[in-house]
Amino acid sequence: AQSVSQHNHHVILSEAASLELGCNYSYGGTVNLFWYVQYPGQHLQLLLKYFSGDPLVKGIKGFEAEFIKSKFSFNLRKPSVQWSDTAEYFCAVIPFYGNNRLAFGKGNQVVVIP
Amino acid sequence: DGGITQSPKYLFRKEGQNVTLSCEQNLNHDAMYWYRQDPGQGLRLIYYSQIVNDFQKGDIAEGYSVSREKKESFPLTVTSAQKNPTAFYLCASSLSLGKVSFFGQGTRLTVV
């Protein structure tokens, strides 16, 4: 079964700092990749996704992620965070073939200090 | 206004009782899912359904049951056999398996 690893579960940083959250997966075949975000008190929503094409994808609110196939990684970045980026971020992977089950990482709890 | 509705938002039950969590979607999606979210554990898949009248066990199905009699509805029953039922439960749907999932607001179940 595929697994998804997210490191540094708790991240605390100041406004205007840069953010990078790592995501590695174990599945060797073709995959679809997602980052979801859960703001305090709100439902989980899609931040960005990669299915094919340009490995650098841009999402909402200035976030971007880069798919590096050789490293089985899909890291999320934002050059300058704001207080409103305080949230929990989840990486998710689904194999293109096989059981088509979405596997989530354990999440990164990000707190941005004003 | 399309979306996924989970009800209720908070639910309290006594130990030993079965409880059913509601999930309804009006997005015309074929696939629906139930996840359990625990602090530091991420989201774990309980059950999923590709299409009406079909469902499959996820990674932590023991102590849970589902039905999919209608396309728009995918209720989850937490049975007394579930050893640690207190958790936050999330329902999701997607156009089909592998597509972008949309999530409900969640139900926080507390068993006392």
Side-chain angles (χ1 to χ4, degrees):
Chain A
Q2 68 271 21
S3 68
V4 182
S5 298
Q6 292 181 246
H7 309 290
N8 303 322
H9 182 64
H10 291 98
V11 177
I12 300 173
L13 59 169
S14 300
E15 274 193 320
S18 64
L19 172 69
E20 179 158 1
L21 301 177
C23 173
N24 290 89
Y25 61 93
S26 63
Y27 188 73
T30 302
V31 292
N32 291 340
L33 298 151
F34 308 83
W35 275 96
Y36 282 88
V37 60
Q38 190 172 33
Y39 298 104
Q42 294 189 26
H43 62 274
L44 211 65
Q45 55 188 287
L46 183 70
L47 200 55
L48 48 77
K49 66 183 188 294
Y50 174 80
F51 285 1
S52 65
D54 189 344
L56 184 64
V57 292
K58 296 193 185 299
I60 60 171
K61 303 187 180 186
F63 283 90
E64 64 179 30
E66 185 175 13
F67 170 51
I68 303 180
K69 189 175 181 179
S70 60
K71 294 186 178 179
F72 300 94
S73 70
F74 189 54
N75 293 354
L76 181 71
R77 296 193 291 256
K78 184 170 183 177
S80 177
V81 294
Q82 299 171 312
W83 173 78
S84 58
D85 293 321
T86 293
E88 190 153 19
Y89 294 82
F90 294 95
C91 181
V93 176
I94 190 164
F96 197 75
Y97 301 104
N99 62 25
N100 289 122
R101 284 157 52 162
L102 193 60
F104 281 85
K106 293 187 176 182
N108 295 106
Q109 183 66 57
V110 175
V111 175
V112 180
I113 301 169
Chain B
D1 196 17
I4 301 175
T5 303
Q6 288 186 245
S7 61
K9 195 171 179 180
Y10 299 97
L11 193 53
F12 295 87
R13 277 295 181 270
K14 288 185 179 180
E15 197 173 327
Q17 289 182 333
N18 290 357
V19 58
T20 297
L21 281 58
S22 168
C23 177
E24 304 277 330
Q25 54 100 357
N26 60 5
L27 299 167
N28 202 31
H29 285 171
D30 281 320
M32 296 188 74
Y33 316 82
W34 275 105
Y35 294 90
R36 173 182 168 136
Q37 186 178 10
D38 297 284
Q41 297 280 334
L43 276 73
R44 292 180 291 170
L45 183 65
I46 304 172
Y47 267 98
Y48 66 103
S49 167
Q50 289 192 68
I51 201 165
V52 176
N53 293 323
D54 175 75
F55 50 83
Q56 306 291 333
K57 290 183 179 179
D59 299 315
I60 54 166
E62 188 174 343
Y64 300 98
S65 66
V66 293
S67 63
R68 186 86 190 275
E69 296 175 3
K70 297 185 294 182
K71 186 176 186 177
E72 59 270 22
S73 178
F74 192 41
L76 173 75
T77 297
V78 184
T79 74
S80 56
Q82 167 51 231
K83 292 183 173 57
N84 187 18
T86 294
F88 188 57
Y89 291 88
L90 281 167
C91 179
S93 72
S94 62
L95 204 56
S96 61
L97 284 186
K99 303 300 183 190
V100 173
S101 290
F102 294 85
F103 286 81
Q105 294 265 20
T107 293
R108 187 166 296 282
L109 172 66
T110 303
V111 176
V112 296

